[in-house]
Amino acid sequence: MDSDLLLLLRGDLAAAAYTVDRLQQLWGPDADDALHRGDRVLALRRALAAGAEPLALLARLFRLHDALAHHELALALPTLGLQGARRLGLVDDAGRARLDVAPLSAIDGTGAADWWIVSDLDELALGGALPPGHVLGVGGASLTLAGLQPTTPVGAVLDLGTGCGVQSLVAAARASRVVATDVSQRALELASATFALCAVDAVELRRGDLYAPVAGERFDRIVSNPPFVITPRRDGVPVYDYRDGGRVGDGIVEEVVRGAAEHLVPGGTAHLLGNWEYRDDEDGLARVARWLEEAGLDGWVIERERQSPIEYAATWIRDGGTRVGTAEFERLAGEWLDDFSARGVVGVGFGYLVLRNPGPGTTTLRRTEAVDSPRLDDAGGLGDALLAGVAMHDRLAPLGEAGLAVLRCAVAGDVTEERHYWPGAEGPTVIRLRQGGGLGRVIEADAALAGLVGACDGDLTVGEIASALAQLLEVDESALLEQVLPQVRELLVTGFLALVE
């Protein structure tokens, strides 16, 4: 796209204060909630009521997919103008948007930032199924991966499969250099437009499949939401560039995982979304652990959801715009089920992967777990929490029981305790420790563990607390230590407890 015209568009968007906060103020929280459900009626009425205000006109054009008259386009884009908008491919002759330009609020290296993301029109705007070359805008998965990116400064970052470019924007705020790749030329063009609108020039765009554009290069950090959707390799099954990587089964996730070993510097980390197959002869998480071991990588793999083959098929058939109950839906579901059956697939897990190329001072970590938490829908800060857990694992790994017992710990500030009693009971029947940040874990605790955590204020060592608890509970001290020391190690790694130096 013409860089000079994009600069004019940027000026118009900024002058109109076309931001997430201002749009929410324009139409209010109830209309905003309805928009997230795909209902634009109330927001459109309120935008129309705002008349010729540039913000309202831009909202109608890009967010509400309404047609603007020529004079309204001139008011909405006074610097770019109608001809400039057409040359950029932003609008058609009827005054409707041909591209989506969406505001996004984020936190970058200098604080709050307002960005504009360029992508193709979504299914609601198109009024039908998406075309195969569709470039996806910012969705839930994009925001989740952004939250999985650590906020610590870093040197070189690889954004593998950049799409509209949002992960590169997040990375560029923390990195000295970003390389963004994609197999789609259209994705690279729209990502370039995104970077121009956001005045980000630290990103180098390269075209190619997965790691091919960076052969022989290594990075401090890799981020990727690869096109991991498992799609039958059969005639008549539509494929979409943004979600289909052209491999059989979960092969693309395996390829991304294994390839990270060759493209991370020692101690470098990768932060990924992905899914993995459960098969008749292999557990899904064990399958990922095998990839890590064979590649020589450390990893922390978190499964946040698991679907049956028919649930998985229905999810992605609907995503392509085919409605449940139609003959086409049933035909496609049959193709998916046949494909799964041919490989003995009995389920598909989805989640997050943090990988590390071992380096000086690191210890082997290959942790896989299924976690059910509403916090995983909003992964803000999760990248930092997971890296902190990895660092804590390294620190604790050399310590035996005696080393753990002399540690001084404090309860993390986001941890609360719940106790439930049967009516009239003297003691609790259920004790739960709940984490407000991190993975939002909830763990069941007995009286010993709850008492130990409650006493962790940094004054006494773990061993001293356990000794006092053993007397209070009238149990053997050595047996109590044998029980709680592994639990303390786990609570430190998962962020329930912090070390006090």
Side-chain angles (χ1 to χ4, degrees), residues 20-267:
V20 172
D21 287 345
R22 286 297 307 279
L23 287 178
Q24 291 174 343
Q25 293 169 17
L26 173 68
W27 48 54
D30 49 352
D32 200 60
D33 289 342
L35 273 178
H36 287 296
R37 301 190 300 270
D39 180 359
R40 69 170 189 163
V41 174
L42 183 55
L44 182 56
R45 289 174 66 91
R46 290 179 176 172
L48 286 167
E53 181 184 344
L55 174 65
L57 295 171
L58 289 170
R60 286 171 53 197
L61 179 66
F62 292 124
R63 299 284 75 214
L64 305 174
H65 318 304
D66 193 23
L68 299 188
H70 287 184
H71 73 278
E72 290 177 317
L73 284 169
L75 292 171
L77 302 167
T79 308
L80 177 64
L82 178 58
Q83 294 305 315
R86 286 175 173 168
R87 285 174 57 192
L88 282 178
L90 283 182
V91 298
D92 61 19
D93 291 339
R96 292 187 180 275
R98 295 180 60 195
L99 290 173
D100 189 15
V101 180
L104 177 66
S105 294
I107 303 296
D108 69 6
T110 60
D114 288 307
W115 293 329
W116 297 290
I117 311 299
V118 183
S119 65
D120 281 323
L121 297 176
D122 62 18
E123 184 180 339
L124 181 64
L126 293 174
L130 302 175
H134 178 81
V135 176
L136 201 65
V138 176
S142 304
L143 298 176
T144 296
L145 182 56
L148 280 171
Q149 288 199 46
T151 60
T152 50
V154 71
V157 174
L158 171 62
D159 177 9
L160 197 68
T162 189
C164 65
V166 63
Q167 302 307 324
S168 286
L169 285 180
V170 176
R174 302 153 187 173
S176 57
R177 171 174 168 261
V178 179
V179 175
T181 70
D182 207 290
V183 72
S184 164
Q185 181 61 34
R186 179 166 181 78
L188 295 178
E189 291 171 356
L190 297 189
S192 179
T194 291
F195 302 148
L197 290 184
C198 299
V200 170
D201 55 10
V203 181
E204 178 186 350
L205 290 163
R206 300 185 193 174
R207 185 179 182 187
D209 186 43
L210 293 186
Y211 295 107
V214 292
E217 298 180 52
R218 290 185 181 266
F219 298 83
D220 301 287
R221 186 175 295 165
I222 297 172
V223 297
S224 184
N225 177 17
F228 58 72
V229 175
I230 299 168
T231 305
R233 303 293 151 204
R234 299 164 181 260
D235 292 340
V237 177
V239 296
Y240 301 91
D241 289 349
Y242 72 89
R243 72 180 206 189
D244 177 23
R247 275 67 167 177
V248 173
D250 54 14
I252 194 164
V253 179
E254 179 179 1
E255 196 171 333
V256 171
V257 168
R258 292 181 183 274
E262 300 176 7
H263 294 282
L264 285 171
V265 300

Side-chain angles (χ1 to χ4, degrees), residues 373-394:
S373 166
R375 271 276 302 150
L376 298 181
D377 291 325
D378 175 16
L382 186 52
D384 288 338
L386 291 175
L387 276 195
V390 171
M392 182 62 70
H393 166 85
D394 289 339

Side-chain angles (χ1 to χ4, degrees), residues 35 38 85 107 124 144 152 162 268 276 311 327 351 353 372 397 409 459 482 495:
L35 273 178
I107 303 296
L124 181 64
T144 296
T152 50
T162 189
W276 37 87
E311 288 174 322
L353 305 91
D372 181 16
C409 303
D459 289 338
E482 185 178 357

